[in-house]
Structure formats: structure tokens, C-alpha cells
Amino acid sequence: MRDWQDAWWNALYSDGGFFTRGERPSGHFRTAPLVGPELAEALLCLLDRVDHGLGRPSTVDFTDVGAGGGELAEAVARLAPSALARRLRVTAVELGPGRETPGVQWTRELPGEVVGLLVGHEWLDAVPCPVVTVHNGLWHRLLVDEEGTEHLGPLAGPAELDWLRRWWPGGARAEVGSTRDAAWAEAVRRVRGAALAVDYGHLAGARPEHGTLTGYRAGRQVAPVPDGSCDLTAHVAVDACAAALDLPTALIGQAEALRALGVSATAPPSGLAATDPAAWLAATAAAGRARELLDPAGLGGFHWLLHSTEGTPAPELVRA
Ligand SMILES: C[S@@+](CC[C@H](N)C(=O)[O-])C[C@H]1O[C@@H](n2cnc3c(N)ncnc32)[C@H](O)[C@@H]1O
């Protein structure tokens, strides 16, 4: 029997854990980098705005924290326009094994300094946190065994209670997001330029009554059992992460952000099918992929949390 936070960390990140043994996230759930090149293209547009605001330094970073299988980092390295590619350094930060990815350097540690854009794409939801529940009117930590059976643990401590009072005052059960706030602040502190977290999450006033801790295995949502057999994840209290840093910030939905960065689901003119069927087919497929990224009930409902630490202020970076 362990505290949920320890059990979660152990299941994903200890020796032989779900991610450390090399499970590719793409084998278990669909994320936006797998849809097609559109997310990488949009992030290159964002990187260009950041780079411009920094005065086009001799080396510009794209650092992908929690890079998983490296699909996003690989696409950014491959699709970068040549003028940028000459100065671009793409780094994948990942606790799991490094991959052979052209144009991408792999590391387990956050770099000391990032000059450019740091991205955490579905990283924070995989950062373990305390799980608490209300019993007789008081918040308690929850314990769990390897089969996933939960037991009431000790009273939540002062740090968890402070966080809950500020960020999750109601509800019957919650994930205490202070570990995500700290992980995010630690990453952003290293950045000259901008830092972006993209994740599913919730905001004050609309927290889920029973939290969102769950498991994913082979494309299916499963019970959260901390035995290393599945990913364990919970939505991110993104407004709490935003407040962890006193910086210019934009907190907007993915659909709005992607539109501002040039992603469009507009179908090609039907006349194109007669004059250039191959171009019509390619444009129709691209519009379909964009629709998936912009869908407010799906990936378009993800949150984009963007901070600027130097150069162009964050809200301007995602202005259309
Ligand atoms: C949900 S997956 C997302 C993968 C990828 N970014 C995507 O969107 O497809 C989360 C990834 O973050 C990694 N991760 C979690 N904490 C990390 C840390 N402190 N440093 C580096 N990688 C971490 C996990 O190993 C896992 O591969």
C-alpha cells in the first residue's frame, strides 16, 4: 500500500516503469503530433514569432519536454524552413529511452538554458500528484495497492490544504496540482523567450467533482491501476500552473491558438478537383486533419498556457 503520488510515480518512472521501459505514448493514446504535420507547422510559426522578438539569436532552441516518442520534435526539425534550420537546435527531454530521431538531441535532464521556445505537450498531465478525498468533512490523502484498490490515508498536510483552498475549494475528490505547478515553474525559469504547455485541463469554477485520475492502455481508457501496465494521467489545473509564475501569459483554447498560427479547416474550392485532383485530395486531407485539431469537443478543447520571459509578450505571440 502506498500513497497515490508515490504509486503513480513508481508505476510510470521507476526502473521498468510504464514510460521508463520505453512504452511509446502513441501506442496507447492519440495525441495531436500524431494527427499530421499541422501542429508542428503551427509551432514553427510560433517559434518564428519568438525568434523575431529575441532578435534572431545565433542558436534558437525548440525544446520538447516529455517528448514521448519524439514525433513532435522530429516534425519540427524536419519541417523547419532552411533559414531557421541553420540556427535551430531541437532537443527532446524525456525520462524514457532516447530514440534515433534525425535532427533531434535527446536528454533526460532539462537543459540549463533554453533560448527560444520550450514546449510541454501533454507533459504535465503525466506528472504525478497527491490524490485526496473528503471524509467526514476533511481532506485525506488516498493510498492505493498494486491492484488499484484505494484506502483512506492520513489527513492532507498544510501544503496540500493551502493549494486546495486556493485552487479546488469544492468537490469530493481532487488531484493536488502543486507538483505540476512546481515542475512547470522549474522548466520555465530556464527559458529566454517563451514556454508553452499544451494539455487537457480545467479551470477554477469548473473543477470535476471527483477528479479525473484514469489509465490508458492500447488506445483504451482503463481503471487507474499503478502496476506499470498502463499510463496514469489526470487533467491539469492549468490556471494554477499559470499563476506559478509572474510573467506575461496567454491562457487560451487550442482552437483559438491554432487559428492564430495559421491552421485552417477550410475545404479547398471544389473546382480544384477537376483542374488538379492530386492537389484537391491533399488539401481535403489537410482540412480534415485541421478539423480534428480544432474540434472543441476533442483536441481543440485543450488548453494552451503560454508565458513569455523575454522578447514579444505572450498574448501578442498568439494574436492572429
Ligand atoms: C503523456 S506523454 C506525452 C508524450 C508526447 N509529448 C505527446 O504529446 O505525444 C508524457 C511524457 O512525458 C514524459 N515525462 C514525464 N515527466 C518527465 C520529466 N520530468 N522529464 C522528461 N520527461 C518526462 C513521460 O515519460 C512521457 O513520455
Side-chain angles (χ1 to χ4, degrees):
M1 186 90 59
R2 311 171 89 122
D3 184 85
W4 240 122
Q5 182 186 354
D6 297 341
W8 187 343
W9 190 89
N10 196 54
L12 299 189
Y13 304 118
S14 63
D15 277 354
F18 184 80
F19 285 127
T20 30
R21 71 170 176 260
E23 291 288 341
R24 274 182 184 260
S26 56
H28 299 274
F29 44 90
R30 184 164 171 79
T31 68
L34 307 176
V35 171
E38 286 74 16
L39 176 68
E41 288 165 354
L43 291 179
L44 280 164
C45 175
L46 178 60
L47 178 59
D48 181 59
R49 294 178 183 186
V50 173
D51 186 33
H52 173 78
L54 291 173
R56 312 244 180 249
S58 55
T59 300
V60 62
D61 287 306
F62 179 91
T63 302
D64 183 3
V65 185
E71 295 86 355
L72 180 60
E74 184 278 328
V76 164
R78 178 167 44 83
L79 297 170
S82 52
L84 173 66
R86 280 193 284 278
R87 295 182 295 115
L88 180 63
R89 178 170 59 192
V90 179
T91 305
V93 185
E94 173 52 54
L95 291 177
R99 321 268 176 186
E100 286 295 314
T101 319
V104 180
Q105 298 171 19
W106 287 78
T107 170
R108 286 174 59 88
E109 307 282 336
L110 283 168
E113 187 183 51
V114 172
V115 180
L117 179 63
L118 176 142
V119 172
H121 189 273
E122 292 203 36
W123 166 41
L124 295 173
D125 70 83
V127 173
C129 42
V131 182
V132 293
T133 192
V134 173
H135 179 71
N136 289 341
L138 296 172
W139 285 108
H140 286 251
R141 290 180 77 122
L142 273 170
L143 314 179
V144 65
D145 65 22
E146 278 240 338
E147 280 78 51
T149 305
E150 294 180 335
H151 302 262
L152 197 66
L155 285 169
E160 287 96 51
L161 291 175
D162 279 352
W163 191 93
L164 288 160
R165 258 192 296 273
R166 178 161 183 206
W167 295 112
W168 202 318
R173 176 182 167 121
E175 295 93 23
V176 181
S178 46
T179 53
R180 279 96 181 262
D181 305 350
W184 181 235
E186 179 58 36
V188 178
R189 261 195 282 278
R190 296 154 191 262
V191 176
R192 284 180 50 211
L196 170 69
V198 179
D199 230 308
Y200 38 85
H202 37 66
L203 299 169
R207 305 282 183 221
E209 174 71 15
H210 297 282
T212 58
L213 177 64
T214 191
Y216 280 94
R217 185 190 310 121
R220 293 240 171 100
Q221 190 169 4
V222 296
V225 178
D227 61 357
S229 69
C230 61
D231 179 27
L232 296 169
T233 172
H235 288 45
V236 179
V238 280
D239 43 356
C241 292
L245 294 137
D246 186 15
L247 289 170
T249 297
L251 179 53
I252 59 177
Q254 164 145 304
E256 182 187 347
L258 287 182
R259 285 200 183 92
L261 296 169
V263 175
S264 163
T266 306
S270 53
L272 188 64
T275 55
D276 189 344
W280 178 84
L281 210 57
T284 302
R289 293 193 297 270
R291 249 193 311 282
E292 183 176 352
L293 294 177
L294 299 172
D295 176 7
L299 295 171
F302 274 41
H303 297 271
W304 278 43
L305 168 59
L306 181 69
H307 296 295
S308 51
T309 65
E310 199 177 306
T312 311
E316 282 177 40
L317 290 170
V318 281
R319 201 160 281 157

